[in-house]
């Protein structure tokens, strides 16, 4: 229910990102990158380690963050590694609708470090539910 520019500003802002993830987790900004914005990110260059904190308090994983592709105002494609994931990709695309609202689409690709092949479908469902939670939080923000 919001224009694409407002949604983009929210989904790339650290406070907006953390609001989407709450109450389950939050993510820190990589050390030394506190003043970085999506507009100043060096595409393809590692940004550093962003810690994931369970309930916003307990560090449980990290994301060696890197933005591989960027279309400002429309799309980013993160390609990273994590403590738990050999490969982690998050591609978020925004699409404006004729009525002035915005569609948000997330595509996640992952490969766990541990041989969790039997658990991969379960992990995929958990991630699907988590991103559903993020979308609901984002929609709630814009009323």
């Amino acid at each position: 229910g919001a224009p694409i520019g407002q949604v983009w500003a929210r989904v790339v802002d650290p406070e907006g990102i953390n609001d989407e993830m709450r109450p389950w987790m939050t993510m820190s900004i990589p050390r030394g990158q506190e003043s970085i914005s999506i507009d100043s990110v060096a595409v393809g260059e590692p940004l550093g380690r962003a810690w994931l904190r369970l309930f916003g308090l307990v560090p449980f994983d990290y994301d060696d963050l890197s933005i591989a592709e960027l279309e400002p105002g429309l799309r980013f494609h993160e390609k990273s590694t994590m403590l738990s994931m050999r490969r982690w990709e998050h591609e978020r695309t925004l699409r404006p609708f004729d009525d002035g609202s915005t569609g948000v689409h997330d595509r996640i690709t992952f490969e766990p470090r541990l041989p969790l092949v039997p658990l991969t479908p379960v992990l995929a469902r958990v991630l699907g539910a988590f991103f559903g939670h993020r979308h609901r939080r984002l929609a709630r923000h814009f009323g």
Side-chain angles (χ1 to χ4, degrees):
I4 194 167
Q6 288 179 13
V7 175
W8 178 259
R10 183 71 178 174
V11 303
V12 297
D13 176 69
E15 178 54 36
I17 294 165
N18 281 324
D19 186 63
E20 283 183 36
M21 292 195 231
R22 283 188 182 103
W24 310 115
M25 71 174 77
T26 59
M27 184 172 76
S28 71
I29 300 297
R31 185 173 290 151
Q33 302 288 345
E34 292 80 10
S35 63
I36 199 164
S37 75
I38 196 72
D39 299 319
S40 62
V41 167
V43 175
E45 298 291 321
L47 296 173
R49 187 168 287 176
W51 284 93
L52 299 172
R53 298 173 300 242
L54 188 62
F55 304 115
L57 300 170
V58 182
F60 72 95
D61 203 348
Y62 61 78
D63 185 345
D64 278 327
L65 198 56
S66 180
I67 302 297
E69 299 172 41
L70 177 64
E71 295 174 53
L74 297 174
R75 178 180 164 271
F76 67 79
H77 187 171
E78 171 198 352
K79 289 185 178 181
S80 303
T81 60
M82 300 174 74
L83 177 63
S84 61
M85 301 286 173
R86 180 175 286 112
R87 175 179 173 210
W88 174 261
E89 295 187 36
H90 174 203
E91 181 179 13
R92 178 167 273 189
T93 306
L94 304 185
R95 187 179 78 172
F97 293 119
D98 291 339
D99 66 359
S101 65
T102 303
V104 179
H105 180 264
D106 288 299
R107 183 177 61 86
I108 304 299
T109 306
F110 65 93
E111 179 184 349
R113 288 196 185 274
L114 298 175
L116 300 173
V117 173
L119 294 178
T120 299
V122 173
L123 186 53
R125 286 189 107 124
V126 168
L127 288 170
F130 178 63
F131 274 85
H133 166 79
R134 290 185 67 171
H135 285 210
R136 287 187 299 278
R137 298 269 306 179
L138 184 60
R140 187 176 318 140
H141 172 77
F142 288 106

